[in-house]
Amino acid sequence: MSRFFKGSDSESDSSSSDSEVNVPRPGASAARPVAYAFSDNEDEPKRIVRSAKDKRFDELTEIIKKMGNHKKIKDMSSVLTDFEELGKAYEKSKKVIEKEKQIPRFFLRCLVELEDFVSECWEDREGRKQMSKNNAKGLTTLRQKLKKYNRDFESEITSYRENPDEEEEEVVMDSEAEESEEESREDFMKSKTREESKPSKRVTYDDDDDDDDIDWEMSSDSSSSESDGGEGGGTTVYTAAMFLKKQPGEEKKDKKDKKEKRVRRKAEEDEGGEWEEVTKGAPMVKEAPKMFAKDTEVNHEAVIKKLNEIISARGKKGTDRNEQIALLTELQSISNANNLGPAISMKIMFNIVAAIYDYNPNIATCMRSEMWEKCLKGVSELLDMVEANPDINIGENILEESENVTTSPYRIRGCILTVVERMDEEFTKMLQACDAHSTEYVDRLKDEKDVCTVLDRLQTYLVPRGTTEEICRVYLRRIEHLYYKFDPEAYDNPQLENQSFKDMEEMCKYIYAKDLTDRLRTRSMLCQIYHQALHDRWYQARDLMLMSHLQDTIQHSDVPTQILYNRTMVQLGLCAFRKGMIRDAHNALVDIQSGGRAKELLAQGLLLQRQHERTPEQEKIEKRRLLPYHMHINLELLECVYLVSAMLIEVPYMAAHEMDARRRMISKNFHHVMRMSERQALTGPPESMREHVVAASKAMKTGNWKECKNYIINEKMNAKVWELFYKSETVQEMVTSKIQEESLRTYLFTYSSVYDSLSLETLADMFEIDQGIVHSIISKMIINEELMASLDEPTRTVVMHRTEPTRLQSLALQLSEKVSSLVDNNERIMELKQGNLFFQKSGNNKIDSKVITNKTGIKIGRTDETNVKITHSRAIASSLSLRTNIKFKEIEDNHISIDFLDLHIKEVISSADLTTIEKNLLGSLEEPCIPKENIKEDIKCLSLKDNSLESMLKQQTIFTTICLFCSLRKISGRQIGVELVGRSELPIGAGLGSSASFSSCLAAGFLTLFGFVKKPESSASESGLCFWTKQELELINKWAYFGEKIIHGTPSGVDNSVATFGGAINFQKGIITHLQSIPQLKILLINTKIPRSTKKLVGLVRERKAKHPEIFDPLLQSMDEITNAVLKNYHTICSSEGECKLKAYNDLEGLIDVNQNLLQALGVSHSALDDICLTCSRLGFHSKLTGAGGGGCAYCVIKPGITDDAVEALKKEMRDKDFDCWECVLGGPGVALMSVALSQPKQLTS
């Protein structure tokens, strides 16, 4: 209900307080009836009509209020959102504001306060670091948008800042309503204490108009007229005075009174002074303690006592560090005033500087600017004292008890070097904390001159009296402030002795000679290399880097030293590029640029890690390692130099090996950039530096050097990259000449196939190069066999030779290589399934007296190997005294019984399975034929239970036995069976030819069983062995080779020959010759039990030989000569006695050592084999590997005169290392039949 009317009978009015009564106006008749009747709709909500101005301003006010709440909690992302909403709301209010012809003051106030708030938050660096990622991003965006937005209100904001009082007037008017309302509430509460029968003395009237929101108050006249009007009529007389808000002339007076009242109230609140932050606990006493009592004598003891008292509070909780500095400073002034001497003043000064360092307890953060200035001043004063008083002995090893500050000679505990080093570190932290693009950084960087001056003074002081370690430390500090600074005078006149180079060289040489720690020497050397490279002294810097061998040991250094190494390598690369050494520049920069982490490796910033995030502690540590901005190397320049170097190397190489499927990748990063460009659907004009290099590379591929040069050298690239070089014109000329030369090479590689001849003059005109340079480039290409051509000097032309394959031929070669690779992979998979891994051997029951490359070059034991594929041309293979024994017993039943204990085989092959295999076997006695692999699928005993190695070995052994038996049985026509029992002394799978020995026994036994060879006559020898004739042995060897082919596919034939004929053979260029005289050498055979792949080792040696034939051909030739020397040595041992024979044994041991070293050089040895050789050498033996190497076995010669105890000691050493040992003899007999009783089965041994 409207407050103008009284006496409402509605529920809402009746439920109000009983104190509500009718208040008559002055001069109104009490008996006058009410002039207005009330509607029944009084209880319904009122409909309020507001103007457009009110609506828009209310909307702005609500947003400003919400923004204020967000500012209080520093929710920057929400403040940003509020600011954007405020801008939109202001746009909607523009029409209203244009009518008013004035921007609202509250809107300007909001913009000003927001600008001050953002500036305050931005300057608070610590607060920004603690912000979340969203708030930090919001603050940055808000700062940019607000700065841009406020430009439109620049004049209004300026005028507001000059005269914000006008706003105060509006604030007063807005607050008057609130104050009057509060006063009315107070009066109302007072009135409630009066008698309830009396009506209220005051009523508040509200006007619906927002502009007139002022309380109506009853004047004193109306109060006095209350008694005149009477109390109870129930009617009220309404006059014009009742409806007037204020009497004319009273409004201004009330406003003035309320303003004065508000100002007076504010002054009363401000009487208490400023707000002050208090700490927890009891309040601390603010009164500074007195230094000395009034009558105390100030002497050395009193000052020292007071000093210790002040220092004792150091580090304690609640200690005011600023006050501590002030107390120490005051104590020093008291000491100086009482003339207590320089020593005690210096001691106090040491403590003042230490207190300044302690002022910032967090070592990860930097000092405040004012504290840094105090620190720099304090260190300078301390140096002044040190220089002015040379009689004061200062040392960190002086104990406090032995200090003397009273009389000369003085002794003080302290270290001026440590103080200066800490100051230098603080200076670096100051630079790290500054914004690199602010004037603050420039101002702080000006202090480096003072820091360098302090270091120079410290050096002058320490050189005559300091220790070697101290001098090295101060020299390194000076070097680290000098090495990265460019001196144009030294660059322009490299022959002159520049002072910076002279100082650098003297200090570095001193550290090289005197330093006892690797760190100082390493850092000084890297700094000198950096300084030399920075001034284009390429050869001195390169030679110093190569002589230092730092690239081999730098991984063991600390992280800051590794960062310095990275910076030095980058500067070396830039120096090489400026000098035109493109390949050297690429090699120096490739490690830094290949990983995409150049910024982090050079300590110029942190990168986001995708795999795992850094912990806060790790991030702090890495930030402390970052270099100040003025020491940075431009990363875009670095990447451009690397990519241009890669382009000049890679593009000609790609053109020369376009059809080579195996071409190597020189620069992965360059190829990645090229691939990314090729994947783009649309390619526009280049904009970034990378795009310019990619476009230049594409132009160079076609030989268009001018277009390539225009992409690399233009206004945009000059501004971004080339003008960063000193004397950039020289660098641009060098780059242009290199582009011309490499474009010429690329052109010749690409289009040589379409020319018969080319004129040097034409090429010189096309690429704008001198004819002499063209002649030089083509001559080098011809010499290096890059270009198949010849120079015709009389006609000055290049005549092309048609030796390069055409495109079709190149594609055909690629196809054949890929098919060959596919076949290799398929056969490798088949080997796993068939069990050939067991028989990967490069020898049979033999040992090489000289391991030539038939152990690494003859490819034996794989189905994909050629018959005789050797890397080395000559070898000696010998049999061992270790035997494989198989007992044969003919049975009437048509089956085979196999019992091979070493392989855990105990099988019976039925007659049906034998018949199935015989149907698929072809060939004759002279030319046996290998059966197909699919036969295995039909034989139950040949099915693999699993893919384990043992299962595969069983299958392969049984299959070989069945094939040999069935082939010979089919040829003979006899349907008999056989029982086989086999045992082997040879280690299985150790590369000693156990498979060949097994095949020889089977071949000899089956051929004898079916009558193809005669049973040898009994021998009268003690061994009881019976031997076949040479002709019969050749047939046995043929069928043993047949068994080897079933097992291995394409063996060399060496293993089965040695196993069959015995003794030793000479293998030379595929021809096997049996040696007539071989000594019975006693050896110790040692098995490492390490599996190895013969094929991989063969491929490794072949690849290395193809890559470096000039290195590996002499090694292999040396092995041939060793083979010849061993053969002569064998003859000497067999034909001589006494000292001559002993000398031959010694020579043989020497040849064994040389051969082992050559094998190590080839890369076919193994750490276990090297361990065996070292152990044997330590115990007086000489050993080498045998077989293919990479594991397997080794042997050592036991020459005559070696005691059994020595041999047993060697065996024990080997068994302790988990190696197997066998003592055996070289040159044993081949396959033979053992003499047994007639009732016993035949027993063959090999």
Side-chain angles (χ1 to χ4, degrees):
M1 182 186 85
S2 175
R3 295 183 184 177
F4 289 126
F5 307 111
K6 313 298 178 185
S8 172
D9 56 354
S10 67
E11 274 188 10
S12 59
D13 288 337
S14 62
S15 63
S16 61
S17 174
D18 294 336
S19 62
E20 184 177 344
V21 296
N22 295 329
V23 181
R25 294 292 179 183
S29 172
R32 186 173 178 174
V34 178
Y36 305 99
F38 298 111
S39 168
D40 293 336
N41 297 329
E42 285 293 331
D43 292 339
E44 296 178 2
K46 290 188 298 181
R47 181 179 177 186
I48 301 173
V49 178
R50 293 192 298 165
S51 63
K53 173 186 173 183
D54 295 337
K55 289 180 181 178
R56 297 303 179 197
F57 281 17
D58 285 349
E59 186 178 356
L60 291 173
T61 307
E62 282 298 320
I63 295 173
I64 292 171
K65 184 178 179 182
K66 185 167 62 171
M67 185 188 295
N69 293 334
H70 289 149
K71 284 197 293 184
K72 288 177 183 177
I73 61 174
K74 291 193 176 182
D75 187 356
M76 305 311 298
S77 58
S78 299
V79 173
L80 174 62
T81 306
D82 296 337
F83 175 71
E84 292 171 348
E85 291 178 1
L86 184 66
K88 294 176 183 177
Y90 181 80
E91 288 297 321
K92 292 180 182 179
S93 307
K94 265 193 173 181
K95 291 183 180 180
V96 176
I97 295 170
E98 286 173 359
K99 289 180 183 179
E100 296 288 328
K101 296 182 181 180
Q102 184 180 3
I103 299 173
R105 300 283 290 180
F106 69 86
F107 181 74
L108 292 176
R109 182 178 76 241
C110 175
L111 293 181
V112 170
E113 289 177 353
L114 184 59
E115 187 176 15
D116 295 341
F117 173 73
V118 170
S119 300
E120 182 183 351
C121 292
W122 188 260
E123 290 172 1
D124 184 12
R125 292 191 183 88
E126 291 299 325
R128 277 163 51 196
K129 290 179 182 177
Q130 294 174 2
M131 281 185 181
S132 65
K133 190 179 291 183
N134 289 337
N135 281 346
K137 185 178 179 182
L139 176 61
T140 306
T141 309
L142 177 61
R143 182 169 176 260
Q144 295 171 351
K145 289 188 175 183
L146 181 62
K147 189 175 181 181
K148 184 177 179 182
Y149 189 78
N150 283 1
R151 288 173 189 166
D152 299 335
F153 307 97
E154 193 168 354
S155 58
E156 290 84 356
I157 290 175
T158 305
S159 62
Y160 178 86
R161 287 187 181 276
E162 291 173 355
N163 187 20
D165 294 337
E166 297 179 10
E167 178 66 19
E168 295 294 330
E169 295 294 332
E170 293 185 10
V171 172
V172 169
M173 294 180 64
D174 292 339
S175 62
E176 281 175 357
E178 297 178 5
E179 291 179 359
S180 61
E181 188 174 348
E182 289 177 3
E183 291 174 2
S184 64
R185 286 197 197 99
E186 292 173 3
D187 294 342
F188 178 73
M189 294 303 293
K190 290 177 182 178
S191 65
K192 290 191 72 173
T193 60
R194 298 177 184 174
E195 296 180 3
E196 294 184 0
S197 60
K198 293 185 179 181
S200 174
K201 298 289 183 180
R202 172 189 176 96
V203 106
T204 304
Y205 296 90
D206 286 344
D207 191 0
D208 288 342
D209 190 356
D210 292 339
D211 295 334
D212 299 326
D213 188 15
I214 301 174
D215 294 342
W216 288 15
E217 297 181 357
M218 311 305 289
S219 64
S220 58
D221 296 337
S222 62
S223 300
S224 61
S225 63
E226 183 179 355
S227 58
D228 299 335
E231 291 182 7
T235 60
T236 305
V237 179
Y238 296 97
T239 63
M242 295 175 63
F243 293 92
L244 289 177
K245 296 179 181 178
K246 291 289 181 184
Q247 295 295 330
E250 290 183 1
E251 186 174 354
K252 290 184 179 179
K253 182 180 179 182
D254 291 344
K255 285 183 180 179
K256 186 176 181 181
D257 293 341
K258 290 180 179 180
K259 182 178 179 181
E260 290 176 357
K261 185 178 180 181
R262 182 181 59 79
V263 172
R264 189 165 58 252
R265 185 187 303 166
K266 187 176 181 181
E268 290 174 358
E269 291 176 355
D270 292 343
E271 284 179 2
E274 297 181 355
W275 291 96
E276 183 177 350
E277 183 178 353
V278 297
T279 58
K280 295 180 180 180
M284 296 182 65
V285 180
K286 297 295 180 181
E287 184 180 356
K290 295 180 180 180
M291 278 292 172
F292 300 101
K294 187 174 181 181
D295 299 328
T296 303
E297 180 185 358
V298 180
N299 53 23
H300 292 89
E301 291 77 7
V303 172
I304 292 294
K305 182 179 179 182
K306 179 58 69 174
L307 176 62
N308 293 331
E309 181 183 335
I310 297 172
I311 294 173
S312 62
R314 179 182 177 184
K316 291 184 179 180
K317 187 176 180 181
T319 302
D320 189 344
R321 289 184 284 271
N322 207 4
E323 182 184 3
Q324 197 171 29
I325 296 172
L327 290 173
L328 288 170
T329 307
E330 184 182 352
L331 184 63
Q332 187 187 30
S333 62
I334 293 173
S335 172
N336 294 336
N338 288 273
N339 297 323
L340 297 181
I344 195 165
S345 179
M346 188 183 297
K347 180 177 176 62
I348 297 172
M349 196 66 215
F350 268 113
N351 287 282
I352 291 174
V353 175
I356 293 173
Y357 289 146
D358 287 345
Y359 185 82
N360 185 18
N362 188 357
I363 196 171
T365 57
C366 67
M367 288 181 173
R368 285 162 44 191
S369 298
E370 57 271 19
M371 296 308 298
W372 162 249
E373 291 170 3
K374 283 185 181 180
C375 175
L376 193 58
K377 182 181 177 183
V379 174
S380 299
E381 291 179 5
L382 185 59
L383 270 175
D384 292 339
M385 294 180 184
V386 169
E387 291 170 346
N389 300 280
D391 58 330
I392 300 178
N393 184 14
I394 305 170
E396 57 185 344
N397 297 323
I398 297 175
L399 300 177
E400 291 186 3
E401 295 80 9
S402 60
E403 283 184 326
N404 182 16
V405 296
T406 54
T407 58
S408 182
Y410 301 106
R411 288 169 58 83
I412 297 176
R413 176 179 174 82
C415 182
I416 185 65
L417 176 59
T418 306
V419 170
V420 175
E421 284 180 335
R422 176 68 186 274
M423 179 203 69
D424 192 24
E425 292 170 3
E426 291 294 338
F427 176 66
T428 303
K429 288 196 287 186
M430 292 289 292
L431 292 174
Q432 288 173 342
C434 292
D435 184 2
H437 305 287
S438 65
T439 56
E440 181 188 2
Y441 188 88
V442 178
D443 294 338
R444 192 54 57 216
L445 190 58
K446 292 176 183 177
D447 292 335
E448 188 180 18
K449 182 179 179 181
D450 298 330
V451 173
C452 292
T453 303
V454 169
L455 288 172
D456 291 342
R457 293 172 61 191
L458 179 64
Q459 176 185 332
T460 306
Y461 171 77
L462 284 179
V463 167
R465 58 177 62 85
T467 63
T468 303
E469 181 188 358
E470 290 175 339
I471 296 173
C472 289
R473 284 164 61 186
V474 72
Y475 276 170
L476 183 62
R477 288 286 171 177
R478 283 207 60 205
I479 289 169
E480 289 178 344
H481 278 276
L482 181 65
Y483 80 96
Y484 62 88
K485 294 175 180 174
F486 180 73
D487 187 352
E489 183 183 350
Y491 187 94
D492 296 333
N493 303 300
Q495 305 301 328
L496 298 178
E497 281 195 9
N498 184 269
Q499 187 62 37
S500 64
F501 273 89
K502 188 176 178 181
D503 293 345
M504 175 75 76
E505 188 172 1
E506 286 179 0
M507 291 186 291
C508 289
K509 283 184 176 179
Y510 184 88
I511 294 175
Y512 300 157
K514 303 292 185 180
D515 178 47
L516 300 177
T517 63
D518 288 337
R519 185 178 184 275
L520 298 185
R521 187 185 303 112
T522 301
R523 290 188 68 85
S524 60
M525 191 171 295
L526 289 172
C527 290
Q528 187 177 12
I529 296 169
Y530 189 105
H531 196 65
Q532 298 276 14
L534 186 64
H535 293 86
D536 269 8
R537 304 192 179 190
W538 159 248
Y539 294 103
Q540 295 92 322
R542 182 201 63 183
D543 294 344
L544 187 56
M545 175 62 81
L546 293 176
M547 287 189 296
S548 66
H549 297 286
L550 289 175
Q551 59 271 25
D552 299 329
T553 59
I554 195 64
Q555 67 271 16
H556 304 300
S557 302
D558 58 323
V559 176
T561 306
Q562 293 183 29
I563 291 170
L564 180 58
Y565 174 81
N566 294 340
R567 286 168 52 79
T568 305
M569 289 303 298
V570 165
Q571 202 58 246
L572 265 177
L574 295 176
C575 176
F577 183 81
R578 291 192 294 267
K579 285 291 186 180
M581 313 288 183
I582 302 300
R583 190 169 292 276
D584 290 324
H586 179 269
N587 293 339
L589 299 177
V590 65
D591 290 335
I592 301 295
Q593 288 294 130
S594 58
R597 297 172 55 237
K599 186 176 184 180
E600 194 168 345
L601 292 174
L602 297 177
Q604 297 182 187
L606 299 182
L607 299 174
L608 293 175
Q609 294 183 344
R610 296 180 181 177
Q611 289 81 6
H612 59 278
E613 292 186 0
R614 300 181 185 89
T615 62
E617 190 62 31
Q618 288 175 336
E619 189 169 352
K620 286 180 183 177
I621 292 171
E622 292 186 16
K623 282 185 177 179
R624 285 204 293 268
R625 294 179 187 142
L626 297 183
L627 295 173
Y629 183 74
H630 69 283
M631 298 174 66
H632 285 194
I633 299 171
N634 190 286
L635 295 178
E636 190 170 16
L637 168 68
L638 177 61
E639 186 178 12
C640 180
V641 167
Y642 171 73
L643 290 177
V644 170
S645 302
M647 177 190 75
L648 295 173
I649 297 171
E650 194 77 70
V651 173
Y653 180 80
M654 290 165 63
H657 300 83
E658 184 180 5
M659 297 302 169
D660 188 359
R662 297 182 179 178
R663 70 166 180 260
R664 61 191 178 91
M665 191 181 296
I666 298 175
S667 172
K668 292 183 180 180
N669 196 10
F670 176 77
H671 279 273
H672 174 71
V673 172
M674 294 293 290
R675 280 197 302 270
M676 294 299 292
S677 173
E678 292 168 359
R679 290 175 184 173
Q680 293 180 358
L682 298 173
T683 305
E687 295 183 2
S688 67
M689 178 272 299
R690 286 188 183 183
E691 291 175 356
H692 277 85
V693 176
V694 169
S697 302
K698 292 178 180 177
M700 183 182 279
K701 281 184 179 179
T702 61
N704 190 346
W705 76 271
K706 287 186 178 179
E707 186 178 355
C708 176
K709 178 247 180 186
N710 291 334
Y711 280 126
I712 294 296
I713 300 174
N714 51 57
E715 290 184 2
K716 187 179 288 187
M717 289 291 285
N718 289 348
K720 284 185 175 181
V721 178
W722 304 122
E723 290 179 358
L724 299 175
F725 283 115
Y726 181 69
K727 293 188 175 180
S728 60
E729 299 82 6
T730 308
V731 178
Q732 292 177 26
E733 290 174 4
M734 182 275 298
V735 172
T736 303
S737 65
K738 291 295 179 182
I739 288 174
Q740 291 171 321
E741 294 173 9
E742 297 305 324
S743 297
L744 171 60
R745 283 165 45 81
T746 306
Y747 185 83
L748 290 173
F749 285 136
T750 306
Y751 301 112
S752 61
S753 59
V754 299
Y755 286 102
D756 291 328
S757 62
L758 272 170
S759 170
L760 294 182
E761 184 178 357
T762 303
L763 290 173
D765 293 340
M766 184 185 301
F767 291 93
E768 299 182 11
I769 313 177
D770 185 75
Q771 285 193 31
I773 298 176
V774 174
H775 186 280
S776 173
I777 292 171
I778 295 176
S779 299
K780 289 178 182 177
M781 294 174 68
I782 294 172
I783 292 170
N784 295 331
E785 298 182 358
E786 295 175 336
L787 183 67
M788 297 297 112
S790 58
L791 282 170
D792 189 1
E793 292 294 341
T795 59
R796 304 290 290 172
T797 58
V798 184
V799 180
M800 301 297 175
H801 299 167
R802 297 296 180 188
T803 57
E804 295 91 350
T806 63
R807 182 175 179 82
L808 180 61
Q809 290 171 335
S810 299
L811 291 173
L813 289 172
Q814 289 184 25
L815 178 62
S816 65
E817 288 180 357
K818 289 181 178 178
V819 170
S820 176
S821 177
L822 180 63
V823 170
D824 288 348
N825 292 333
N826 287 342
E827 292 186 347
R828 193 173 295 113
I829 294 170
M830 289 297 294
E831 288 169 7
L832 294 174
K833 291 184 176 180
Q834 296 172 4
N836 287 342
L837 288 177
F838 172 70
F839 297 104
Q840 286 181 4
K841 313 212 181 358
S842 50
N844 23 23
N845 59 337
K846 66 174 191 326
I847 190 160
D848 296 285
S849 60
K850 165 187 165 335
V851 180
I852 21 335
T853 332
N854 69 339
K855 299 308 172 218
T856 57
I858 297 182
K859 299 168 63 179
I860 300 174
R862 303 300 287 267
T863 56
D864 59 340
E865 294 164 2
T866 55
N867 190 20
V868 179
K869 182 69 176 177
I870 62 171
T871 305
H872 184 45
S873 60
R874 195 162 189 179
I876 299 174
S878 174
S879 61
L880 290 173
S881 59
L882 301 177
R883 316 292 291 177
T884 298
N885 300 313
I886 301 180
K887 294 180 180 180
F888 292 76
K889 182 180 180 181
E890 182 180 344
I891 57 176
E892 296 180 359
D893 296 333
N894 189 12
H895 68 263
I896 300 177
S897 173
I898 303 175
D899 182 7
F900 296 151
L901 181 63
D902 298 293
L903 292 174
H904 307 287
I905 298 175
K906 195 172 182 65
E907 292 286 345
V908 175
I909 295 90
S910 65
S911 175
D913 291 339
L914 296 176
T915 304
T916 302
I917 291 179
E918 282 183 5
K919 290 179 182 179
N920 292 277
L921 291 173
L922 302 174
S924 62
L925 184 64
E926 298 298 326
E927 293 184 4
C929 183
I930 298 175
K932 297 179 180 180
E933 289 288 335
N934 57 8
I935 300 178
K936 297 179 182 178
E937 300 175 0
D938 301 327
I939 310 301
K940 183 178 180 181
C941 65
L942 296 179
S943 61
L944 289 173
K945 296 180 181 179
D946 50 47
N947 290 328
S948 64
L949 181 62
E950 184 178 359
S951 180
M952 294 177 184
L953 296 177
K954 288 181 180 180
Q955 183 203 57
Q956 200 72 3
T957 305
I958 295 170
F959 186 57
T960 304
T961 305
I962 294 173
C963 288
L964 280 169
F965 177 77
C966 291
S967 296
L968 292 171
R969 191 175 78 161
K970 183 176 181 180
I971 295 170
S972 68
R974 295 180 58 191
Q975 296 297 316
I976 60 174
V978 67
E979 286 183 359
L980 304 175
V981 179
R983 302 289 182 270
S984 178
E985 297 174 354
L986 286 168
I988 306 297
L992 296 177
S994 57
S995 63
S997 180
F998 173 73
S999 297
S1000 298
C1001 283
L1002 288 177
F1006 289 144
L1007 286 169
T1008 304
L1009 186 67
F1010 291 108
F1012 294 113
V1013 296
K1014 295 180 180 179
K1015 178 182 175 183
E1017 297 179 359
S1018 300
S1019 173
S1021 63
E1022 295 179 359
S1023 62
L1025 299 179
C1026 306
F1027 299 97
W1028 285 272
T1029 62
K1030 184 178 180 181
Q1031 185 177 0
E1032 290 172 334
L1033 287 175
E1034 288 177 354
L1035 181 60
I1036 292 171
N1037 187 39
K1038 183 179 293 186
W1039 279 89
Y1041 182 67
F1042 171 68
E1044 282 280 84
K1045 287 170 71 176
I1046 295 173
I1047 295 172
H1048 298 301
T1050 53
S1052 65
V1054 174
D1055 291 0
N1056 52 276
S1057 298
V1058 173
T1060 303
F1061 293 100
I1065 63 170
N1066 181 17
F1067 183 89
Q1068 185 174 7
K1069 296 183 179 179
I1071 301 174
I1072 298 175
T1073 306
H1074 294 276
L1075 299 180
Q1076 299 301 321
S1077 60
I1078 178 172
Q1080 298 293 309
L1081 291 177
K1082 188 178 179 181
I1083 64 169
L1084 183 67
L1085 187 64
I1086 306 161
N1087 183 12
T1088 64
K1089 298 188 285 189
I1090 295 174
R1092 75 283 180 279
S1093 171
T1094 303
K1095 183 171 183 179
K1096 285 184 180 179
L1097 292 164
V1098 170
L1100 174 67
V1101 175
R1102 185 187 294 112
E1103 181 183 349
R1104 290 180 176 177
K1105 181 185 175 186
K1107 188 175 182 180
H1108 302 291
E1110 70 280 0
I1111 297 174
F1112 283 84
D1113 284 344
L1115 292 177
L1116 300 175
Q1117 181 64 33
S1118 299
M1119 290 183 175
D1120 284 340
E1121 296 303 324
I1122 289 177
T1123 305
N1124 295 331
V1126 168
L1127 290 174
K1128 294 178 182 178
N1129 200 270
Y1130 280 178
H1131 179 73
T1132 304
I1133 292 174
C1134 292
S1135 60
S1136 62
E1137 294 293 337
E1139 292 184 1
C1140 187
K1141 186 173 184 177
L1142 185 60
K1143 183 178 181 300
Y1145 268 105
N1146 293 334
D1147 293 342
L1148 178 62
E1149 289 178 335
L1151 292 172
I1152 286 174
D1153 291 338
V1154 173
N1155 201 347
Q1156 174 62 23
N1157 292 330
L1158 291 174
L1159 289 167
Q1160 288 177 340
L1162 282 177
V1164 297
S1165 187
H1166 187 274
S1167 58
L1169 294 170
D1170 296 339
D1171 187 20
I1172 290 173
C1173 295
L1174 289 173
T1175 305
C1176 291
S1177 176
R1178 178 165 51 82
L1179 296 176
F1181 295 88
H1182 300 264
S1183 61
K1184 63 177 289 298
L1185 65 85
T1186 182
C1193 290
Y1195 73 93
C1196 68
V1197 175
I1198 305 174
K1199 65 180 181 182
I1202 298 293
T1203 63
D1204 293 339
D1205 292 340
V1207 176
E1208 288 300 323
L1210 179 59
K1211 286 182 181 180
K1212 185 179 183 303
E1213 288 261 4
M1214 295 303 163
R1215 286 166 184 156
D1216 291 343
K1217 297 178 184 292
D1218 198 27
F1219 298 149
D1220 292 338
C1221 302
W1222 298 272
E1223 203 173 332
C1224 50
V1225 179
L1226 286 182
V1231 64
L1233 179 68
M1234 294 182 67
S1235 298
V1236 294
L1238 293 176
S1239 60
Q1240 296 292 326
K1242 299 175 183 178
Q1243 183 169 337
L1244 288 97
T1245 179
S1246 173

